[in-house]
Amino acid sequence: MVSFVNALLYGVGGIVMAGMALLVAFQEKLVYVPVLPGLTKSYSITPSRLRLIYEDVWLRSSDGVRLHAWFIKLFPDCRGPTILFFQENAGNIAHRLEMVRIMLQRLHCNVFMLSYRGYGESDGYPSQHGITRDAQAALEHLSQRTDIDTTRIVVFGRSLGGAVGAVLTKNNPDKVAALILENTFTSILDMAGVLLPFLKWFIGGSGSKGPRILNFLVRSPWSTIDVVGEIKQPILFLSGLQDEMVPPSHMQMLYAKAAARNKHCKFVEFPTGMHMDTWLAGGDQYWRSIQEFLAEHVRKKKESETSGNDNVLKFISLRSS
């Protein structure tokens, strides 16, 4: 009996040690995948390939890392909403251009696509702290532009991009008008147990039942569940129910956490949507959901303010005459 207990303890200890070794050595490679297997780090295409109007934008993050982005416009003087788009963890912004092309047409917007540090033509190496700085640099750039309506900047994040966007939106209530989250996880701590099931007993988020003794080793926890409840701007949740990477329950938990404090939250499900193709599988309903969200929480507010300003000017003109 004693030998069995000893063997069991050694077995558990071995699992813990193996988990620690995996986390220390490979966690960045699991979370951040700038280069897809069989492809190169460089962009496979540029927006010009799809006949899109764009400019190359070079930024400096607050820690000095040089970043690259594409600013894509529907047409040169488009004053519609500007979508600040944050991608998933794998590949680069070139792999999202077809979706962005349709986004421009359906939403009549501008789109700013940022390459995280270490991705595409951006310098540096990805990390949570660094990418948070990168996102802030992108927003500061947009906020200073004179060719867009800076009161209509909307953050859109998918998967990892949702975690990035949630932090940025929370930290900038005066610069971000609204947030759109698609197939985003509650935290990397929770995802560790999804991708490597044996780790769920040692790593987990705030709702985990395990001892979480290895949480301190996770350098990029991206705890969206702890951020989303502090966001005051309107939030649209887009959830693909066939998501093979992030359990759809994560999106449901994020919505519940946000909606408990924020009455401007909307949750939309797409029965056939998978992790990467919800925008495609959702068809017209997908784009219509976003259109309605923007019309309610971004466009109408701006139109109302413009109308109010016009009335004031008319009143002043009448008094002067």
Side-chain angles (χ1 to χ4, degrees):
M1 182 65 181
V2 174
S3 60
F4 172 77
V5 172
N6 288 338
L8 181 62
L9 291 175
Y10 280 125
V12 172
I15 291 175
V16 172
M17 292 300 295
M20 291 179 67
L22 283 172
L23 282 174
V24 172
F26 300 112
Q27 63 180 273
E28 275 80 17
K29 294 184 181 300
L30 292 172
V31 177
Y32 309 111
V33 189
V35 183
L36 292 170
L39 300 179
T40 63
K41 184 175 181 288
S42 60
Y43 304 129
S44 55
I45 61 173
T46 66
S48 62
R49 181 80 170 271
L50 300 181
R51 298 182 179 180
L52 299 176
I53 301 171
Y54 82 105
E55 65 178 274
D56 285 297
V57 178
W58 295 95
L59 308 170
R60 286 282 177 185
S61 193
S62 60
D63 57 353
V65 176
R66 192 179 76 142
L67 308 170
H68 177 256
W70 286 327
F71 184 50
I72 307 174
K73 286 192 170 186
L74 177 62
F75 46 84
D77 59 345
C78 177
R79 305 293 290 187
T82 294
I83 306 294
L84 175 49
F85 179 78
F86 296 120
Q87 66 160 76
E88 307 89 329
N89 74 315
N92 59 51
I93 55 178
H95 303 132
R96 280 81 192 175
L97 279 174
E98 179 59 28
M99 185 274 294
V100 167
R101 181 182 68 82
I102 298 175
M103 177 183 286
L104 292 167
Q105 298 171 351
R106 295 299 298 263
L107 305 183
H108 297 164
C109 63
N110 307 306
V111 180
F112 191 91
M113 304 180 74
L114 173 71
S115 279
Y116 307 135
R117 61 182 62 201
Y119 283 69
E121 295 185 12
S122 293
D123 295 340
Y125 300 92
S127 67
Q128 178 171 336
H129 185 66
I131 291 176
T132 299
R133 288 174 178 263
D134 300 346
Q136 188 65 45
L139 180 60
E140 295 299 334
H141 170 82
L142 286 176
S143 299
Q144 294 169 14
R145 293 188 73 111
T146 59
D147 59 341
I148 66 171
D149 185 343
T150 56
T151 69
R152 303 171 77 186
I153 296 174
V154 178
V155 170
F156 188 130
R158 179 183 295 141
S159 190
L160 171 67
V164 177
V167 173
L168 183 69
T169 301
K170 179 186 78 72
N171 291 341
N172 296 272
D174 57 334
K175 294 179 180 178
V176 176
L179 172 65
I180 301 173
L181 297 179
E182 180 179 328
N183 296 338
T184 299
F185 45 76
T186 52
S187 72
I188 289 296
L189 297 172
D190 291 327
M191 284 300 297
V194 173
L195 299 176
L196 300 170
F198 73 90
L199 286 179
K200 68 181 179 180
W201 301 107
F202 310 104
I203 298 175
S206 56
S208 173
K209 297 179 180 179
R212 297 178 286 176
I213 59 176
L214 299 184
N215 278 11
F216 73 98
L217 293 174
V218 179
R219 293 186 286 269
S220 292
W222 289 114
S223 189
T224 316
I225 192 72
D226 294 327
V227 173
V228 74
E230 299 180 34
I231 295 173
K232 297 179 174 60
Q233 300 95 312
I235 311 175
L236 174 63
F237 296 81
L238 304 172
S239 177
L241 298 185
Q242 300 304 315
D243 193 327
E244 74 285 9
M245 293 292 294
V246 177
S249 59
H250 282 223
M251 284 289 286
Q252 295 165 2
M253 287 187 282
L254 290 175
Y255 172 73
K257 185 68 175 288
R261 298 185 179 183
N262 186 342
K263 65 180 180 179
H264 300 297
C265 294
K266 183 177 181 180
F267 189 90
V268 184
E269 296 178 335
F270 302 94
T272 60
M274 299 180 72
H275 190 64
M276 298 288 289
D277 76 347
T278 296
W279 66 273
L280 191 59
D284 186 64
Q285 181 197 2
Y286 179 90
W287 297 111
R288 191 170 62 250
S289 298
I290 302 176
Q291 289 169 348
E292 292 172 354
F293 175 76
L294 295 178
E296 180 179 359
H297 297 294
V298 179
R299 295 179 183 174
K300 285 185 178 180
K301 179 180 180 182
K302 180 62 180 177
E303 290 168 2
S304 174
E305 291 175 349
T306 301
S307 175
N309 291 336
D310 288 344
N311 290 336
V312 171
L313 290 174
K314 288 178 182 178
F315 177 76
I316 294 173
S317 178
L318 288 173
R319 288 291 298 271
S320 299
S321 61

